[in-house]
Amino acid sequence: MSKETQFIRSVKGTRDLLPSETHLWQGVEAEARAVLGAYNFREIRTPILEQTALFARSVGEETDIVTKEMYTFADRDNESLTLRPEATASVVRAYIEHSLYNEGGIQKLYYIGPMFRRERPQKGRYRQFYQIGAEVLGSDHPTIDAEVIEMLMLFLSRLELQNTALLLNSVGCPICRPEYLRVLRHALEGVKGNLCADCQRRTETNPLRVLDCKVEADQPIIEKLPSILDHLGPECRQHFDRVTAELSERGIEYTITPRLVRGLDYYTKTTFEITSGALGAQNALLGGGRYDGLAEMIGGPPTPGIGFSIGEDRLVLAVADAAQGKAGWSASPVAAYIVWMGDRTLAPARQLARELRRQGLSVEIGYEPTKLKKSMGIASRIGARFAVIIGEGELQSGRYQVKDMTSGEQQEVEPAGLTDYLRSRLASARHVPMPLK
Ligand code: HAM
């Protein structure tokens, strides 16, 4: 085959989400919007392209994301642009750029959209992936940390997700962290030679990142390094104690994980992750934390903040099983397939399709003359709940045949009553939102 005619495939690490799965994505997003709305979060949509410096400064020059994973390119005027690897920096940038702090109070913002990281693709890890994220800007109160986590737990429970674990840590702040870093550097001196090449470099450039290392052979060494929780300053300690106390009061279980420093540099105080047993190696369903210094890192006024991002690809993988059985998660069914037989029936059949569609029912109709048996085959293949049959006889009697495709039962219904008839029979299959508990 010549090069010109070779089929052009999608880019490695990117995926087409086909209709057989997009209904799950829509279901997950609808639940997310419902829960976020209940906690008074409002949607923000920021550009996918940002100046490279935004991520370099906030996510951190020494992080894997910035050193290895960003899709960065020089624009035609040589400006360095990057496809966003995450959206927290963008949300904080937008908050500053539009002076949202002038609206008074705290801002609770959420976003849903694609992110880009050039990682090695595998199940649950893609180069274009999707996040559902939320950020609370303008307060450093520990109650907000607990409330954000409470909201996440509610969301996951509404998705009937089981086998999840909440990991919690504090990474201190610019006041207490230097002392911990000194202790950590000192401890690393002794073991440095046994760590991977990346960690040997990190020991000098950003020792906290060593705790984040995923290399198997490094793990026993890292486990023995000093814990940041033993070096928190009084303010960070108090904050962390308040967060854990509030989580316990809310009946939320957590595991304190001193190594949880997360892969981004902007974090201060609380950090957390939720892992899912339903996922394989890529088991981090979501991650988040507080970033009280981020706004200043990108040249804005001091603005405390906390947030999280859920990996939507992973979330969909995890809920896929549980979702199959839930009425609300099934692909929205075609309500009716309209079968017409004979030229004279085409006009009333089209009229009926139009009317039912106006009423919001999903309807399909054949575009060319087709035998009854074949039409019924089509109705069944497209998953129509009902077939409405209009032949010469039906035109004369003024009553259409309605066949229930699941039970096989057939009934005559007058055109005027058809919408109500279909609606009442379909009611059980439609998505009824669960109450917020
Ligand atoms: P992150 O931990 O880098 O945090 O990403 C959050 C989640 O995105 C991960 O837990 C994972 O589920 C998903 N994720 C990350 N990379 C990939 C990938 N290559 N393929 C599939 N899923 C992926 C952040 O992005 C921060 N902005 C979270 C945050 C918000 N912190 C404060 N506010």
Side-chain angles (χ1 to χ4, degrees):
M1 204 186 277
S2 77
K3 206 159 184 171
E4 287 85 315
T5 51
Q6 226 170 40
F7 179 63
I8 303 160
R9 298 193 163 275
S10 59
V11 174
K12 186 175 175 188
T14 69
R15 303 190 290 160
D16 299 307
L17 301 172
L18 303 177
S20 55
E21 46 191 335
T22 45
H23 67 277
L24 281 178
W25 290 70
Q26 289 167 359
V28 159
E29 287 170 17
E31 290 293 344
R33 288 180 198 278
V35 174
L36 286 157
Y39 280 80
N40 192 28
F41 281 76
R42 296 176 305 154
E43 185 174 6
I44 183 166
R45 300 189 188 196
T46 62
I48 283 165
L49 271 183
E50 295 275 6
Q51 291 192 45
T52 303
L54 177 70
F55 304 113
R57 275 206 241 150
S58 57
V59 174
E61 301 274 8
E62 265 305 311
T63 56
D64 281 355
I65 294 177
V66 172
T67 55
K68 306 180 195 164
E69 296 169 2
M70 291 204 308
Y71 283 95
T72 296
F73 60 94
D75 198 2
R76 287 169 195 273
D77 58 4
N78 272 331
E79 187 181 17
S80 180
L81 301 181
T82 292
L83 294 182
R84 64 179 186 194
E86 64 110 50
T88 308
S90 304
V91 171
V92 175
R93 178 200 51 67
Y95 172 90
I96 297 165
E97 200 163 322
H98 303 283
S99 315
L100 294 186
Y101 41 83
N102 282 342
E103 291 182 12
I106 58 173
Q107 287 281 330
K108 297 161 109 179
L109 305 167
Y110 80 87
Y111 52 87
I112 301 178
M115 310 291 154
F116 303 83
R117 296 184 194 174
R118 202 175 188 289
E119 296 191 79
R120 197 171 52 76
Q122 62 181 87
K123 190 177 175 220
R125 189 162 73 192
Y126 311 98
R127 292 181 171 178
Q128 173 172 339
F129 61 99
Y130 294 79
Q131 285 186 343
I132 301 174
E135 315 291 346
V136 184
L137 297 168
S139 169
D140 62 0
H141 204 287
T143 294
I144 296 178
D145 306 29
E147 192 174 272
V148 160
I149 293 173
E150 173 195 292
M151 176 173 75
L152 277 167
M153 299 322 269
L154 173 68
F155 174 57
L156 297 182
S157 81
R158 276 169 62 99
L159 297 182
E160 294 173 15
L161 218 64
Q162 274 145 33
N163 207 358
T164 59
L166 167 63
L167 314 180
L168 192 69
N169 192 25
S170 171
V171 293
C173 70
I175 299 168
C176 59
R177 203 180 303 146
E179 168 58 13
Y180 172 66
L181 291 181
R182 199 187 56 73
V183 174
L184 182 61
R185 265 205 185 91
H186 183 72
L188 282 168
E189 276 310 311
V191 293
K192 190 175 155 189
N194 302 327
L195 292 171
C196 69
D198 273 346
C199 280
Q200 297 199 9
R201 185 173 45 78
R202 290 172 187 139
T203 304
E204 306 300 329
T205 54
N206 190 345
L208 213 54
R209 292 272 75 81
V210 173
L211 302 180
D212 219 27
C213 171
K214 302 286 181 300
V215 174
E216 204 55 52
D218 288 4
Q219 303 309 308
I221 305 169
I222 297 170
E223 289 297 339
K224 295 201 192 80
L225 291 170
S227 160
I228 194 160
L229 292 177
D230 296 331
H231 297 272
L232 294 180
E235 195 200 318
C236 292
R237 181 82 248 169
Q238 203 184 17
H239 187 97
F240 191 59
D241 290 345
R242 269 296 286 278
V243 174
T244 50
E246 284 212 24
L247 288 177
S248 301
E249 274 165 37
R250 291 163 205 241
I252 296 170
E253 285 174 27
Y254 54 86
T255 305
I256 294 179
T257 312
R259 267 187 64 180
L260 186 73
V261 291
R262 313 258 307 116
L264 306 96
D265 278 353
Y266 51 60
Y267 289 112
T268 53
K269 297 183 178 158
T270 315
T271 54
F272 57 91
E273 271 183 19
I274 294 184
T275 57
S276 161
L279 300 167
Q282 302 304 317
N283 68 350
L285 199 55
L286 64 92
R290 184 161 275 293
Y291 45 82
D292 293 345
L294 172 52
E296 285 159 280
M297 284 174 174
I298 61 172
T303 310
I306 179 165
F308 62 82
S309 309
I310 305 169
E312 193 177 358
D313 306 70
R314 295 182 191 179
L315 185 64
V316 169
L317 277 173
V319 299
D321 287 342
Q324 299 303 341
K326 270 170 71 172
W329 297 100
S330 49
S332 77
V334 176
Y337 183 69
I338 297 177
V339 179
W340 52 275
M341 283 173 306
D343 289 344
R344 278 187 348 114
T345 61
L346 178 55
R350 276 195 192 135
Q351 178 56 31
L352 176 66
R354 187 177 185 187
E355 184 51 34
L356 293 178
R357 286 166 169 165
R358 275 191 180 148
Q359 301 291 331
L361 294 174
S362 170
V363 166
E364 199 49 274
I365 179 170
Y367 296 104
E368 50 188 271
T370 313
K371 295 243 160 56
L372 177 63
K373 196 166 168 216
K374 192 169 174 202
S375 291
M376 297 314 279
I378 296 172
S380 142
R381 180 167 50 76
I382 66 170
R385 267 285 278 126
F386 295 94
V388 179
I389 304 157
I390 312 175
E392 293 285 344
E394 282 76 23
L395 270 195
Q396 263 161 33
S397 71
R399 294 166 77 84
Y400 298 161
Q401 297 285 339
V402 180
K403 181 170 180 177
D404 184 327
M405 297 299 290
T406 33
S407 66
E409 183 191 320
Q410 198 155 312
Q411 222 172 326
E412 285 189 346
V413 183
E414 280 183 17
L418 202 55
T419 312
D420 286 346
Y421 177 81
L422 294 179
R423 265 200 198 294
S424 63
R425 303 287 298 270
L426 283 163
S428 59
R430 295 199 81 81
H431 177 47
V432 184
M434 286 183 285
L436 287 171
K437 286 191 278 257

